[in-house]
Amino acid sequence: MILRLGFSFAATIGLALASVIWSESWFWGRWRAEDTALGFAETVLGYALVVQVVRFVWDRWAVAASGSGAWRRIFLIGALYGWLVEGVLVTTVIDDLPLTVANTGLSWHALFTVLLGWWWMPRQLAAPLRHSIVPLVAVGVGVGGWASFWKFEEGATTSIPDYALFATLTTIGYAAGLALWWWMRGRARPGPLGTTVAVALLVALAVVHAFEQPLTLIGPALVGVALLAVATTRPRASEVTVTPGPVPAGPVPMGPAPYGSLWRLAIVPATAIPVFAMITAAPEAIPTGWFFFVVSVPLSAALFVVAWVLSLRHRA
């Protein structure tokens, strides 16, 4: 039991590390003055609470990584992850209502971190090389294009060598997180003990936030909506394939584990660095982030509704 707890904890930490790269590092697009190694470790542990809960939910409510329309329930899981982060771990969900219901819980966390970072990217790595180059270049363009936005938004000036080092090391961190997750996730399912501890700590945070500002209870309410969406779209028992042993074959793996293809992630910084350099070299700062906001916020809100409705229809 202790060994399985250790394996499950390691899988959670691996996925939390990969998630922090997408949700925090690539969001801020640079190292900030307040960033420290200790702060990064604390952030990974904080995200691990969320990841543990999400892993438990997708395992117990049979969120499959493959099959027709798999993206739909994975996006619903992404909504759970996003609203736990923005509405419980922190309270940014109330900063600019109603916009912050979708931004950034859905528009960044669900869409980019979970749908792309957890599910879609591993599939690109598992695909033949000729099929994965263009998607990985597209991710690099997005990462570099978004990072350049902070020059406009906050007047941040990052040198090209500094950004090159940042993009390279964060990509290595993402690859390491994926590798640890893939290695450990099949050895033990996320169990009730570790999940109970994570839930208790998140509930304690929600209570503290609510005492300080009652409006923050919107966050737990949105988490409840996401849980309802995942629960009501759970496949019928006859549709879930389970094999004997500690780990079911269907929902847990959440995608392939192509260790030998992780080197392809080098395409991301190799593309992001020249894109960042080109945009930040312009005489005037370019608001590249506006494109992300205009597209991702309404798109992610619509995807949540569409994913829920289509999943309900499929189940019926």
Side-chain angles (χ1 to χ4, degrees), residues 132-169:
S132 64
I133 291 177
V134 171
L136 292 173
V137 166
V139 171
V141 170
V143 169
W146 172 263
S148 68
F149 176 55
W150 293 107
K151 181 180 179 181
F152 175 88
E153 183 70 8
E154 295 184 352
T157 54
T158 304
S159 68
I160 305 306
D162 282 349
Y163 181 73
L165 183 61
F166 168 83
T168 300
L169 291 181

Side-chain angles (χ1 to χ4, degrees), residues 13 80 99 152 177 179 188 207 209 220 315:
I13 290 296
L80 173 62
L99 179 66
F152 175 88
V207 170
H209 295 324
R315 187 177 190 278

Side-chain angles (χ1 to χ4, degrees), residues 83-124:
W83 284 331
L84 276 170
V85 170
E86 298 297 333
V88 178
L89 197 61
V90 295
T91 59
T92 53
V93 73
I94 67 168
D95 285 353
D96 192 14
L97 291 169
L99 179 66
T100 44
V101 169
N103 182 53
T104 57
L106 297 181
S107 65
W108 192 276
H109 296 301
L111 187 60
F112 295 134
T113 302
V114 174
L115 195 62
L116 268 66
W118 292 14
W119 181 72
W120 183 79
M121 286 283 279
R123 272 158 177 67
Q124 305 315 306

Side-chain angles (χ1 to χ4, degrees), residues 11-291:
T12 293
I13 290 296
L15 185 52
L17 173 59
S19 302
V20 167
I21 298 302
W22 279 84
S23 291
E24 296 290 335
S25 300
W26 286 352
F27 177 81
W28 293 110
R30 67 198 189 279
W31 281 306
R32 297 171 297 164
E34 61 268 32
D35 291 336
T36 63
L38 178 60
F40 184 82
E42 291 173 345
T43 301
V44 171
L45 289 175
Y47 270 80
L49 300 177
V50 173
V51 168
Q52 176 66 24
V53 173
V54 173
R55 287 186 64 224
F56 184 85
V57 169
W58 93 48
D59 176 51
R60 293 313 189 268
W61 286 344
V63 178
S66 60
S68 177
W71 72 268
R72 297 192 293 259
R73 297 193 73 229
I74 290 172
F75 191 84
L76 297 180
I77 278 288
L80 173 62
Y81 168 91
W83 284 331
L84 276 170
V85 170
E86 298 297 333
V88 178
L89 197 61
V90 295
T91 59
T92 53
V93 73
I94 67 168
D95 285 353
D96 192 14
L97 291 169
L99 179 66
T100 44
V101 169
N103 182 53
T104 57
L106 297 181
S107 65
W108 192 276
H109 296 301
L111 187 60
F112 295 134
T113 302
V114 174
L115 195 62
L116 268 66
W118 292 14
W119 181 72
W120 183 79
M121 286 283 279
R123 272 158 177 67
Q124 305 315 306
L125 297 177
L129 177 59
R130 66 182 183 279
H131 294 158
S132 64
I133 291 177
V134 171
L136 292 173
V137 166
V139 171
V141 170
V143 169
W146 172 263
S148 68
F149 176 55
W150 293 107
K151 181 180 179 181
F152 175 88
E153 183 70 8
E154 295 184 352
T157 54
T158 304
S159 68
I160 305 306
D162 282 349
Y163 181 73
L165 183 61
F166 168 83
T168 300
L169 291 181
T170 52
T171 301
I172 292 172
Y174 174 56
L178 284 183
L180 180 59
W181 175 38
W182 292 341
W183 183 29
M184 291 294 176
R185 66 187 177 183
R187 297 170 181 260
R189 298 169 66 175
L193 180 58
T195 305
T196 300
V197 173
V199 169
L201 291 173
L202 289 170
V203 168
L205 276 175
V207 170
V208 170
H209 295 324
F211 273 116
E212 296 175 351
Q213 171 59 272
L215 191 60
T216 60
L217 289 173
I218 289 175
L222 290 171
V223 169
V225 172
L227 284 170
L228 181 64
V230 178
T232 56
T233 56
R234 189 187 194 282
R236 302 183 189 281
S238 60
E239 298 176 355
V240 180
T241 302
V242 179
T243 57
V247 181
V252 171
M254 202 71 167
Y259 299 100
S261 297
L262 282 171
W263 67 267
R264 299 184 198 176
L265 290 174
I267 295 173
V268 175
T271 307
I273 294 165
V275 168
F276 176 84
M278 181 178 64
I279 296 175
T280 55
E284 299 292 332
I286 302 174
T288 52
W290 287 359
F291 172 79

